């Protein structure tokens, strides 16, 4: 008995944390990116494309340590022994690009970039290791005018993506007012200090736990519903009061009142005063038609360490429900801010910069929740291939349909009639074109209206009259093919 | 004396073999990809996006060995110990995708994909380690009809990219006729054999060395101009005759004659006969308006091992010159072919497939050589910022210009007037808008025509009259801003 040798067959699977995307989803993203790009370009931003890789040392914060070269980023060693990493955002490559080409660039340098970024993180539901970013940055312009422009640009971009003005807000805060608060708490100049981090973490829970909960977290500690105890930060009572005043200083829809409250708390701190002045000036620069879209909001923290001044967040404010009718929190669909130190890492001089990044996937997901009934773009018209020796004639029909501005293809998989119709169905073809021997002899084609066919099969009884008027399948002269198809498509507009 | 501590400053440089691209070049590529995508969609292909990474074992041919995991591809080990690699083309990911989702896909499955691919190879002039591919494939359709469709699609795509029909050719051959030739030479079933490889290498030099040179290479060996000796393949005289007959069987512009010649050489071989039959059928299926664009050409080899049938190459046929007026060989701008074994690697069953890949960078470079005088798209209109307390008013002007369909921005870098004009110049701004205190008092703006300004500074003497008629700088009422700018732009259309 001869033993059959086993061939090695790799398992076909997309790598963990990555995904394939096709058809409609991809089309929707592409359209959104095109609309956003138009706004960026209108504002004088030029496109830039940097490669997927950067030298690892140029990426900065995420610099892998030798033992764990893949912490946060995907890294590998080039054949000249240098470590290279896939970019995890579009800002670090911009800083590198500006530093590398500084003398030749117009200053300010205004660029936008659209492209994938990679994160070497634990994947989770809806959290992928590759996703699209869509950024605009002004490099070499100090606060506050460039920051005000960014707020307006952000609003215009979210509008262009399909959200009406009443359904989103650009929330603005300033890293300097948080610094001012820490100055007041006696925690200035302690970047990365654990107490500071715990205070910020507690502040971030204000939305969920309210004042009482945050007071416990900042003080003695808090026991949650399950009985778990979170150690408190043990701030003094006056410091806890200061944090709570800070958190409650936002007056919705009233920037001047918010800034007045902030002043009362922070005006004796240097950072706080400077931050408030910048926010006042930014508010002043917002044109009337965007005054209601841009709001001062002290609760905006933005985690990224590299921000040095104003920070922005784009939030959706409409309510949406999922497919089961449950309300869905939409939240942030992008962020940004001022970073005056990123180019400095390379050049040794501060290059004041500010930018925004649109969360394309989140925006798409939110819009899809809102307009679930949106019709999906329809598939190509399928010309069935019944006689092998007539393939050229079928291709001619498809070519004529395309010349008439329609998507069209000939079925290329075999001659089984039912299989061909099933294919047309699976492709969401609106129309199938049939020409067998009989039709050909008469110089005719059969037009099959697949949209109507699907509707008829659903409600077969109650529309006999309409059915007679609108046959789901009819003959047309070969020379009238385009007209007949266009009339059929027009039924469903 | 206190020692100053030295801060670590990474050097800002793009990784070796990679490049940044901006502005016009990127815009041109984007436009070309959009035009190609329109053709693919019209033919019924749907977009697909696969992630940058694939499991290394799924990539096949380029599977890195353990000692050199980066041979040809960029690979790294995921935290679950599995090797993942960046895709080196768009075909291997397609095969994986189809195998993974086989049951749910319409068959044939027609997709197109546009995106970057990565090669871990030695970079060279004009050879980068990341570049864009733009493919269309039909998976699950046997020869010859899907192959004929691909040839026509290929021609339509090159046309859509901006090359007229007289300036390119889709050359078609068949891997099976090369197999037929090897059968005739007694080298059948020796895939990867050194003699076979040497014969193919010699055949590939026919263009450059002619018949005499190739005869030497196939026989005793050849000494080149420099005196270097290349060992010969030492085929028998009759085998050398067969190879030469094969290479000279192409009759330019006459497919039937070419196929006749081929038949005379290969008809007794099984592969050769089958390959010729497929080429005959493909030729028959090409519609009249593309008969002159698609040509049988036996010299097309296409290196990729995975082709199993017809192979295609798109060649530019016009002559171009470089910036020094020297003629440039343009050559191939894309290729493709039939691969019936790629999905089989995963599934164990043959899935007949055929596709094309457009060399977008090459096509762009060739078109740029041809139309070097093409005007670059112009930069944004720049509104100068002379008075800080008028920034909101300047932004209002820019917003009005954008609402009028123009690109416009306010200068955000500082108040130096000369610097602002230099910026406008560097951005290729067609127009600068100036409103200082005086203009503002009069309710006016100054429009500076920078295109005209540049022209005037070149030929300052000989056009006094025209200069008086077309002032490079003039005043307009503030409320006439848009009209005045549009009239200025219209001067240069």
């Amino acid at each position: 008995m001869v033993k059959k040798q086993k061939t090695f067959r790799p398992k076909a699977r997309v790598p963990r944390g990555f995904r394939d995307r096709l058809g409609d989803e991809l089309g929707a993203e592409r359209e959104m990116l095109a609309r956003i790009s138009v706004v960026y370009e209108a504002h004088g931003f030029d496109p830039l494309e940097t490669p997927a890789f950067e030298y690892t040392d140029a990426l900065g914060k995420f610099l892998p340590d030798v033992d764990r070269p893949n912490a946060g980023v995907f890294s590998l060693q080039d054949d000249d022994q240098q470590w290279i990493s896939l970019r995890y955002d579009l800002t670090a490559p911009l800083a590198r690009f500006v530093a590398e080409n500084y003398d030749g660039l117009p200053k300010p340098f205004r660029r936008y970039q659209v492209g994938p970024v990679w994160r070497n993180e634990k994947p989770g539901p809806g959290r992928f290791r590759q996703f699209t970013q869509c950024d605009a940055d002004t490099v070499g312009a100090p606060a506050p005018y460039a920051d005000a422009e960014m707020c307006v640009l952000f609003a215009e971009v979210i509008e262009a993506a399909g959200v009406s003005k009443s359904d989103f807000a650009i929330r603005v805060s300033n890293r300097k007012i948080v610094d001012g608060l820490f100055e007041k708490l006696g925690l200035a100049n302690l970047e990365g200090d654990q107490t500071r981090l715990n205070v910020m973490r507690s502040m971030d829970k204000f939305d969920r736990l309210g004042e009482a909960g945050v007071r416990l977290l900042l003080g003695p500690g808090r026991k949650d519903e399950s009985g778990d105890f979170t150690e408190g930060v043990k701030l003094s009572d006056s410091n806890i009061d200061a944090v709570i005043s800070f958190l409650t200083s936002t007056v919705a829809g009233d920037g001047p009142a918010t800034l007045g409250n902030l002043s009362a708390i922070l005006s004796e701190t240097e950072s706080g005063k400077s931050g408030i002045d910048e926010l006042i000036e930014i508010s002043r620069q917002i044109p009337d038609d965007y005054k209601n879209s841009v709001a001062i909001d002290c609760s905006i923290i933005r985690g990224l360490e590299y921000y040095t001044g104003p920070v922005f967040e784009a939030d959706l404010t409409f309510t949406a429900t999922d497919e089961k009718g449950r309300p869905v929190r939409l939240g942030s669909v992008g962020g940004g801010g001022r970073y005056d130190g990123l180019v400095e890492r390379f050049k040794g001089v501060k290059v004041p910069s500010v930018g925004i990044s649109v969360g394309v996937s989140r925006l798409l997901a939110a819009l899809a929740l809102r307009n679930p009934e949106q019709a999906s773009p329809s598939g190509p018209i399928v010309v069935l291939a019944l006689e092998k020796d007539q393939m050229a004639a079928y291709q001619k029909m498809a070519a004529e349909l395309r010349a008439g501005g329609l998507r069209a293809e000939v079925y290329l998989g075999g001659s089984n009639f039912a299989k061909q119709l099933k294919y047309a169905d699976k492709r969401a073809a609106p129309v199938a074109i049939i020409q067998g021997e009989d039709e050909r002899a008469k110089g005719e084609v059969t037009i099959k209206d697949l949209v109507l066919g699907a509707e008829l099969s659903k409600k077969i009884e109650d529309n006999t009259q309409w059915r007679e008027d609108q046959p789901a399948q009819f003959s047309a002269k070969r020379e009238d093919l385009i007209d007949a198809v266009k009339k059929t498509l027009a039924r469903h507009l």
Side-chain angles (χ1 to χ4, degrees), chain A:
Chain A
M1 213 175 99
V2 180
K3 253 195 182 164
K4 218 174 172 178
Q5 207 189 320
K6 208 174 167 188
T7 318
F8 168 69
R9 298 212 182 287
K11 196 164 152 29
R13 70 266 187 243
V14 70
R16 198 171 51 99
F18 293 89
R19 62 174 168 161
D20 301 309
R21 300 192 302 163
L22 63 166
D24 297 353
E25 188 190 349
L26 211 53
E29 180 181 291
R30 218 185 273 178
E31 203 191 310
M32 182 178 282
L33 292 173
R35 285 202 303 250
I36 292 174
S37 298
V38 165
V39 177
Y40 284 160
E41 298 222 356
H43 276 261
F45 293 81
D46 277 341
L48 170 70
E49 183 195 85
T50 61
F53 282 106
E54 294 288 339
Y55 282 118
T56 305
D57 65 4
L59 286 184
K61 305 279 183 194
F62 287 81
L63 188 74
D65 57 69
V66 185
D67 294 334
R68 268 185 85 223
N70 282 333
V73 293
F74 291 102
S75 303
L76 55 91
Q77 214 165 1
D78 202 359
D79 52 17
D80 60 1
Q81 308 309 316
Q82 298 197 72
W83 279 95
I84 54 177
S85 299
L86 289 176
R87 64 185 181 213
Y88 58 84
D89 73 3
L90 300 175
T91 311
L94 172 65
R96 188 271 306 156
F97 174 84
V98 170
E100 186 173 359
N101 303 281
Y102 197 73
D103 293 335
L105 293 176
K107 276 163 285 277
F109 176 62
R110 295 155 75 79
R111 83 88 181 80
Y112 74 95
Q113 185 166 0
V114 178
V117 300
W118 294 268
R119 303 268 167 98
N120 193 355
E121 289 167 352
K122 225 184 160 68
R127 263 187 44 180
F128 296 98
R129 297 164 95 191
Q130 172 180 333
F131 55 94
T132 306
Q133 284 199 339
C134 177
D135 289 19
D137 292 81
T138 298
V139 179
Y145 305 113
D147 310 66
E149 188 205 29
M150 275 296 158
C151 293
V152 178
L153 178 64
F154 215 165
E156 283 189 30
V157 154
I158 303 295
E159 254 190 301
V163 186
S164 64
K165 267 183 183 159
S166 57
D167 286 342
F168 72 91
I170 307 300
R171 301 196 206 281
V172 185
S173 185
N174 197 322
R175 179 56 45 99
K176 290 180 184 171
I177 66 171
V178 182
D179 289 343
L181 175 65
F182 283 124
E183 218 176 292
K184 201 180 158 90
L185 303 181
L187 296 168
N189 302 320
L190 290 167
E191 201 69 29
D193 172 78
Q194 196 56 47
T195 306
R196 255 176 93 126
L197 288 177
N198 288 340
V199 172
M200 285 179 81
R201 207 168 286 148
S202 308
M203 288 168 73
D204 239 10
K205 292 184 179 153
F206 187 72
D207 265 2
R208 195 157 56 80
L209 304 180
E211 181 178 330
V214 173
R215 274 189 183 277
L216 289 172
L217 286 174
L218 291 172
R222 177 175 177 274
K223 195 181 274 185
D224 70 14
E225 296 71 36
S226 73
D228 282 348
F229 183 74
T230 306
E231 193 67 49
V233 189
K234 303 195 172 60
L235 294 187
S236 68
D237 285 352
S238 64
N239 271 351
I240 293 177
D241 286 346
V243 175
I244 297 297
S245 305
F246 181 92
L247 286 170
T248 54
S249 57
T250 302
V251 182
D254 191 343
T258 304
L259 291 166
N261 289 342
L262 272 180
S263 274
I265 313 166
L266 302 177
S267 65
E268 79 260 35
T269 69
E270 206 185 317
S271 304
K273 208 183 153 321
S274 154
I276 291 167
D277 285 349
E278 283 178 3
L279 289 174
I280 290 172
E281 196 51 53
I282 288 171
S283 303
R284 234 180 239 151
Q285 298 296 323
I286 305 298
D288 287 343
D289 47 341
Y290 284 100
K291 282 249 188 286
N292 289 330
S293 307
V294 180
I296 307 289
D297 187 330
C298 309
S299 73
I300 301 303
I301 305 282
R302 303 295 308 160
L304 282 173
E305 273 185 59
Y306 60 62
Y307 289 128
T308 57
V311 288
F312 326 118
E313 198 170 279
D315 287 328
L316 297 183
T317 54
F318 63 87
T319 49
T321 50
D322 65 13
E323 60 279 7
K324 288 181 183 158
R326 295 171 300 200
V328 177
R329 203 190 153 272
L330 297 166
S332 166
V333 289
R338 171 162 292 281
Y339 53 95
D340 289 351
L342 264 192
V343 178
E344 186 183 15
R345 286 188 59 243
F346 299 100
K347 301 275 304 168
V349 289
K350 277 206 193 318
V351 180
S353 308
V354 64
I356 55 173
S357 183
V358 179
V360 180
S361 314
R362 282 198 173 191
L363 204 40
L364 279 170
L367 289 173
L369 279 175
R370 182 167 218 196
N371 314 310
E373 76 291 350
Q374 205 177 11
S376 61
S378 98
I381 293 160
V382 175
V383 180
L384 303 199
L386 302 180
E387 302 173 282
K388 278 293 168 216
D389 61 357
Q390 294 300 312
M391 286 301 280
Y394 300 140
Q395 284 290 5
K396 194 158 183 297
M397 292 181 201
E400 283 174 25
L401 289 164
R402 287 193 294 267
L406 303 168
R407 292 185 77 193
E409 62 172 69
V410 176
Y411 180 79
L412 292 170
S415 52
N416 181 304
F417 184 73
K419 228 174 169 178
Q420 300 201 29
L421 276 182
K422 204 178 144 198
Y423 172 82
D425 205 48
K426 215 163 185 177
R427 287 300 307 276
V431 164
I433 312 294
I434 305 166
Q435 191 189 54
E437 209 180 335
D438 293 351
E439 285 105 337
R440 187 155 52 83
K442 287 190 273 177
E444 291 183 348
V445 287
T446 296
I447 315 276
K448 201 171 162 65
D449 181 340
L450 297 173
V451 180
L452 183 60
E455 278 168 17
L456 290 181
S457 69
K458 270 187 232 156
K459 35 182 179 177
I460 199 105
E461 290 119 15
D462 60 327
N463 55 3
T464 327
Q465 185 55 49
W466 195 68
R467 192 179 186 176
E468 278 162 15
D469 294 347
Q470 309 270 337
Q473 183 169 322
F474 63 95
S475 295
K477 284 273 154 213
R478 168 64 183 86
E479 61 267 31
D480 299 333
L481 173 67
I482 313 297
D483 271 1
V485 169
K486 285 193 170 171
K487 265 181 208 148
T488 310
L489 293 173
R491 289 172 172 176
H492 309 292
L493 288 183

